[in-house]
């Protein structure tokens, strides 16, 4: 039977390109970070390697599948056909199909090793230096310690453009994987075995990082932001603001919030604020606290491990801080759309299984806590 086979092939010839086209359309949806639009030298070298391997793999795929399909059609069984000629033991053919894949695999190996060595030797642009950051993977949020600058942040990594960022990747629980798709590839964060990674961001902006290794029920909710400052001066301005102890609240509502924070059975069992229950960012007490340091919470762009935007303002790219001047979401007494208020009311509903297990707070308590925490800029 001749026709059905060709009719089927014709149908697939229409369906396959349609499937490819629709997957391309879906890939263009949303604003997910992509490795194909690198904004740093590490990601761009890795993207180069990706395209090189894709080209090699495509050549192999088309050649092998083309030959296979040709053979299936050309040499398919017909009535009364004799046994085909056997090629077992044909030295020429066997040498060709051993040497050809070896050449392709060697090309991929050479490209990979070349890229790996290149990535070890990146330097800062225009005389920029190196910045050391300890990245700690928690279940399920990221902590960023700047050991030489003596500050700690959570959920957002702040770096200057053109500087080489040298990270120690630390986990005290399970295996995570540190990944900023547009800036650097994935490296596992393994308990008891500190990994290291260096990278450099070459374009100012806000990028999204993620955890790329399944680490428990909220693995998908372990995102972070990366704020890349355009100049080193902008970075140091941000830095000196972060090095201060927390601001003392000025409004009575925020003062009430601070009392709730400090109160018995309050937030200090898990969270630290420098100037309230911590003497400094290096205070040894901080080691025993399982929640993020909140000293400058009001300046952060996201909360709860990137699940929610800190929508008490918009991010100012020059200062790296949240600009509260156009805040209309987290106003006292009008918190219906305030993400921090939603989080304080029901952290387990928003992120089931996370370590923030608290009693129910009243509207008045949430109102005061939002006023206090957002004042910590
Ligand atoms: Cu941490 Cu997945």
């Amino acid at each position: 039977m001749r026709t059905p086979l060709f009719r089927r092939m014709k149908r697939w010839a229409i369906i396959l390109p349609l499937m490819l086209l629709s997957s391309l359309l879906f890939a263009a949806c949303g604003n997910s970070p992509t490795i194909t639009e690198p904004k740093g030298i590490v990601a761009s070298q890795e993207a180069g390697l990706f395209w090189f391997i894709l080209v090699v793999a495509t050549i192999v795929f088309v050649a092998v599948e083309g030959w296979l399909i040709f053979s299936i059609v050309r040499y398919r069984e017909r009535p009364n056909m004799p046994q085909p000629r056997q090629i077992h033991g044909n030295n020429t053919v066997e040498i060709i199909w051993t040497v050809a894949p070896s050449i392709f695999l060697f090309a991929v190996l050479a490209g990979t090793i070349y890229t790996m060595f290149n990535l070890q030797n990146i330097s800062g642009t225009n005389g920029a230096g190196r910045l050391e950051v300890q990245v700690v993977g928690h279940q399920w949020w990221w902590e960023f310690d700047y050991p030489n600058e003596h500050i700690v942040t959570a959920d957002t990594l702040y770096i200057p453009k053109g500087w080489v960022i040298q990270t120690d990747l630390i986990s005290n629980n399970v295996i995570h994987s540190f990944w900023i798709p547009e800036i650097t590839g994935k490296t596992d964060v393994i308990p008891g075995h500190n990994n290291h990674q260096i990278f450099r961001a070459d374009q100012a902006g806000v990028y999204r990082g993620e955890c790329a290794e399944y680490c428990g029920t909220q693995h998908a909710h372990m995102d972070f932001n990366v704020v890349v400052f355009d100049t080193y001066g902008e970075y140091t301005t941000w830095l000196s603001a972060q090095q201060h102890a927390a601001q003392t609240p000025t409004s009575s509502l925020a003062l009430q919030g601070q009392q709730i924070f400090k109160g018995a059975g309050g937030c200090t069992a898990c969270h630290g604020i420098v100037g309230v229950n911590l003497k400094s960012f290096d205070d040894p007490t901080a080691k025993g606290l399982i929640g993020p340091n909140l000293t400058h919470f009001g300046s952060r762009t996201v909360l709860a491990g990137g699940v929610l935007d800190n929508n008490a303002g918009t991010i100012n790219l020059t200062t790296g801080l949240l600009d509260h001047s156009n805040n209309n979401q987290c106003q006292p007494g009008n918190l219906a759309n305030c993400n921090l208020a939603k989080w304080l009311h029901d952290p387990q509903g928003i992120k089931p299984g996370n370590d923030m297990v608290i009693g129910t707070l009243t509207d008045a308590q949430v109102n005061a806590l939002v006023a206090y925490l957002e004042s910590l800029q």
Side-chain angles (χ1 to χ4, degrees), residues 7 26 44 50 73-74 79 142 187 202 211 226 231 259 275 279 289 304 311 332 342 344 349 352:
R7 206 177 290 156
F26 282 121
S44 72
F50 165 77
V73 175
R74 174 74 178 75
W142 296 94
T187 303
D202 293 326
C211 179
V226 182
T231 67
Q259 291 308 319
K279 288 189 184 70
L289 303 174
N311 62 351
K342 290 179 193 169
L344 290 169

Side-chain angles (χ1 to χ4, degrees), residues 156-161 203-207 225-238 299 301 313-324 326:
T156 302
L157 171 67
Y158 296 84
I159 53 174
K161 185 182 84 180
Q203 196 176 310
V206 183
Y207 303 95
N225 273 354
V226 182
V227 172
V228 178
F229 292 104
D230 197 35
T231 67
Y232 187 66
E234 286 166 10
Y235 165 74
T236 50
T237 305
W238 168 83
S299 72
T301 53
T314 49
I315 182 158
N316 179 327
L317 257 186
T318 309
T319 61
L321 304 175
L322 209 65
D323 182 355
H324 291 252
N326 50 4

Side-chain angles (χ1 to χ4, degrees), residues 48-70:
L49 183 63
F50 165 77
W51 288 115
F52 173 68
I53 293 176
L54 187 70
V55 167
V56 171
T58 304
I59 292 170
V60 172
F61 179 82
V62 170
V64 171
E65 296 304 310
W67 203 323
L68 179 70
I69 291 167
F70 169 78

Side-chain angles (χ1 to χ4, degrees), residues 138 140 142 175-177 211-215 219 222:
H138 294 267
W140 292 272
W142 296 94
I175 300 177
H176 305 274
S177 181
C211 179
E213 177 79 38
Y214 182 74
C215 54
H219 151 71
M222 196 172 161

Side-chain angles (χ1 to χ4, degrees), residues 218 221 304 307-308 339 342-344 346-352:
Q218 293 296 330
H221 288 157
V307 179
L308 299 170
N339 283 337
K342 290 179 193 169
W343 175 249
L344 290 169
D346 189 12
Q348 291 302 321
I350 291 171
K351 198 171 171 179

